[in-house]
Amino acid sequence: MRLFAASLGTETNTFAPIPTALSSFHESFYAAPGQHPEDAKLCSAPLWVARRRARAEGWTLVEGTATFAEPAGLVSREAWETLRDEILGQLRAALPVDGVLLGLHGAMVADGCDDCEGELIAQVRALVGPDVPIGVELDPHCHLTEKRVRHATLIICFKEFPHIDFVDRGEEVVDLVLRTIRGEIRPVMSVVDCRMIGSYPTTREPMRSFVDRIKTLEGRDGVLSISLAHCFPYADVPEMGSRVLVVTDDRKAQGDRLAMALAQDFFAMRGSTMPPHLTPDGVIDALQSATGTVVCADPSDNPGGGAPGDSTWILRRLIERGVTGVALGPLWDPMAVRLCFMAGEGGRLRLRFGGKIAPSSGPPVDAEVTVTALRRHAHQTFVDAKVPLGDCATIAFGGIEVVLISDRTQAFGLDLFTAQGVRLDDKRLVVVKSTNHFHAAFATIASQVLYCDAGGPIPRDHRKVPYTRVQRPIWPLDEAASPVPLV
């Protein structure tokens, strides 16, 4: 048995001012065929799992390129076409194959292509023919387009947000593709478009119970897998929106009924899944009566959603109101990091930092700071994956510590701070640039977790996003919306 696996991913915020170039992929994560590291990466889990399974089970895996760019703006035509053709060329050279495994994000938009993943899957299908299974793993913050569903054999999304189950779902994709090749199952997909936009963290109700319920339905009555495509709200493309996907073993009518029933229940939860978001002043006011360490997320400036990660709005308010005992990070400012390295560890300097990319980043902060720690080629941890931070500088001023980074990314692990010399057990407030991926690690130290819409470039109220191309009607832009069958 011979399988081919590759990975290509990024999450495109079509409103973001930072372009995504070919160099963005090489700088974030790029592994040539056979060069994928031994630790799992978020979007390449099918390849990583297949490598281990092939070694253990004695079949052949042909590895293609695996690459991922940090979420940002529109992908250049050069980047998209170069990486697409690279993977297709590798597959062409590997033919014939018995199956294909693709680790994709699902929200990649390029200059000239709204549905990069759909186009890639369609071209893979054209190469391998109609009978070779194509298994795809997607991030739930994807656009589950009709094109990719029609050309793939099976698609599985991570169930958890934060995405702590990306390896488990990779195992699932590989296992179902192998079973399909052996003739044990015949996967068919049913998709319902929920006609809504939302955010669905699985760390809180009602999503926690809904996902747990879905898990109990799998493996029974011919149901192979159920996925919720949450959507990525900051992409102005026609098929953006929340969808339900049911994969059955050759039971299309049953899958259609189940997908619609789940979609109606999912739709009924609209407006109740996202946690309340405070203003910066609301966070500070809540801090006055809090005990222990409060963790506050700033999703409005989440680099994981394509934001720059250099917004200063909440930091400036903390300074203005004299709040101390604060750690904040990561704040993306490569130039400020460079200046701190010039000053040296223990050095003092008058530093201007943050607020550089766009008006929504806010004004820069000017402060006399002490450089308390410097790290070259630093990392943070997310589940079992290492996420690069680049060179890091920790600065302290007025009872506040800030971790400055040179490689733009969001907060994932506690070692974002602790590996950079910042103690968290003595902090009143820890502010992280993230939407919910921080939760798996930071909830373990938090007396309470707050969320703040601090005025960054990613508004939490989706009615404030200037869509022009999204299919209507769709909630919350339109009240007259309801689930409709798609595939």
Side-chain angles (χ1 to χ4, degrees):
M1 187 163 51
R2 180 179 173 88
L3 273 70
F4 174 83
S7 178
L8 172 61
T10 190
E11 187 177 61
T12 302
N13 182 330
T14 61
F15 305 100
I18 304 171
T20 304
L22 185 58
S23 59
S24 304
F25 289 87
H26 284 267
E27 290 168 2
S28 294
F29 174 72
Y30 180 89
Q35 299 302 309
H36 193 287
E38 288 299 325
D39 62 307
K41 303 297 181 184
L42 188 67
C43 285
S44 60
L47 185 153
W48 184 80
V49 169
R51 177 189 283 177
R52 294 190 299 112
R53 294 282 293 270
R55 290 171 180 168
E57 298 169 16
W59 45 269
T60 299
L61 176 68
V62 180
E63 296 186 13
T65 294
T67 186
F68 180 85
E70 190 67 24
L74 201 66
V75 178
S76 72
R77 190 181 298 264
E78 177 200 20
W80 155 236
E81 293 181 350
T82 297
L83 295 170
R84 176 201 64 194
D85 293 348
E86 188 175 310
I87 290 172
L88 292 173
Q90 293 159 356
L91 173 59
R92 191 178 293 110
L95 294 175
V97 296
D98 299 296
V100 175
L101 301 165
L102 297 174
L104 310 174
H105 180 282
M108 180 175 174
V109 182
D111 179 13
C113 186
D114 284 344
D115 183 10
C116 295
E117 290 86 353
E119 181 63 25
L120 178 62
I121 295 168
Q123 293 201 34
V124 168
R125 175 59 71 200
L127 284 175
V128 301
D131 300 324
V132 172
I134 300 173
V136 181
E137 183 180 38
L138 297 179
D139 188 298
H141 299 114
C142 64
H143 314 306
L144 190 61
T145 68
E146 183 176 352
K147 186 173 189 176
R148 61 188 71 171
V149 173
R150 292 201 182 278
H151 288 287
T153 304
L154 62 95
I155 296 173
I156 293 173
C157 299
F158 314 149
K159 284 183 171 58
E160 301 293 342
F161 178 34
H163 305 327
I164 56 176
D165 64 330
F166 65 94
V167 171
D168 292 339
R169 302 287 76 76
E171 292 273 9
E172 189 177 348
V173 170
V174 173
D175 187 59
L176 292 180
V177 167
L178 292 174
R179 292 177 64 193
T180 303
I181 293 170
R182 293 169 181 146
E184 299 170 7
I185 56 173
R186 186 176 179 272
V188 292
M189 292 188 282
S190 302
V191 179
V192 173
D193 185 348
C194 298
R195 305 308 304 145
M196 67 176 176
I197 305 168
S199 179
Y200 312 103
T202 59
T203 48
R204 66 191 305 271
E205 297 295 350
M207 283 302 296
R208 180 68 268 148
S209 294
F210 192 53
V211 170
D212 290 343
R213 173 189 163 199
I214 283 171
K215 290 179 179 180
T216 67
L217 298 173
E218 295 177 317
R220 300 165 50 191
D221 302 322
V223 176
L224 299 175
S225 175
I226 302 172
S227 294
L228 303 175
H230 294 191
C231 84
F232 179 59
Y234 305 103
D236 194 13
V237 293
E239 291 191 76
M240 188 276 291
S242 308
R243 296 181 173 184
V244 173
L245 164 64
V246 175
V247 185
T248 59
D249 184 7
D250 201 17
R251 303 188 188 188
K252 184 68 167 70
Q254 176 187 330
D256 291 348
R257 290 191 296 270
L258 179 57
M260 177 55 76
L262 291 173
Q264 289 171 339
D265 290 346
F266 195 18
F267 185 76
M269 296 190 299
R270 65 195 183 281
S272 66
T273 59
M274 187 164 64
H277 286 74
L278 305 173
T279 64
D281 279 317
V283 172
I284 296 170
D285 291 343
L287 194 63
Q288 308 312 310
S289 58
T291 58
T293 299
V294 175
V295 174
C296 176
D298 178 11
S300 72
D301 189 37
N302 174 22
D310 72 337
S311 168
T312 61
W313 295 114
I314 190 169
L315 176 60
R316 293 182 66 84
R317 199 67 189 122
L318 290 167
I319 295 170
E320 290 163 357
R321 292 189 58 176
V323 181
T324 59
V326 176
L328 182 146
L331 193 69
W332 181 53
D333 194 331
M335 181 54 70
V337 170
R338 183 177 178 184
L339 293 174
C340 289
F341 270 87
M342 293 170 67
E345 198 165 293
R348 293 180 62 83
L349 74 158
R350 189 76 184 171
L351 185 67
R352 170 168 286 195
F353 59 96
K356 288 184 169 60
I357 298 301
S360 57
S361 298
V365 173
D366 291 285
E368 186 171 333
V369 307
T370 299
V371 180
T372 58
L374 297 169
R375 300 286 186 274
R376 294 283 189 193
H377 311 299
H379 291 82
Q380 62 175 325
T381 304
F382 181 57
V383 192
D384 294 324
K386 292 183 178 179
V387 180
L389 299 167
D391 295 340
C392 293
T394 303
I395 57 173
F397 59 97
I400 296 174
E401 293 179 86
V402 176
V403 174
L404 303 170
I405 62 173
S406 58
D407 286 4
R408 188 174 60 90
T409 190
Q410 65 178 298
F412 287 106
L414 297 174
D415 49 353
L416 164 68
F417 292 101
T418 58
Q420 321 313 322
V422 179
R423 288 184 57 184
L424 298 178
D425 57 358
D426 62 351
K427 297 296 184 291
R428 296 175 61 203
L429 177 66
V430 178
V431 179
V432 291
K433 303 278 187 177
S434 179
T435 298
N436 208 50
H437 286 325
F438 74 94
H439 198 282
F442 284 86
T444 63
I445 66 161
S447 61
Q448 59 179 308
V449 175
L450 303 177
Y451 296 81
C452 178
D453 192 342
I458 304 181
R460 303 309 294 156
D461 183 347
H462 300 128
R463 294 169 297 182
K464 296 180 180 179
V465 180
Y467 303 113
T468 60
R469 304 181 61 222
V470 173
Q471 292 175 1
R472 308 287 289 267
I474 192 166
W475 186 90
L477 310 185
D478 309 290
E479 287 297 327
S482 60
V484 294
L486 183 69
V487 176

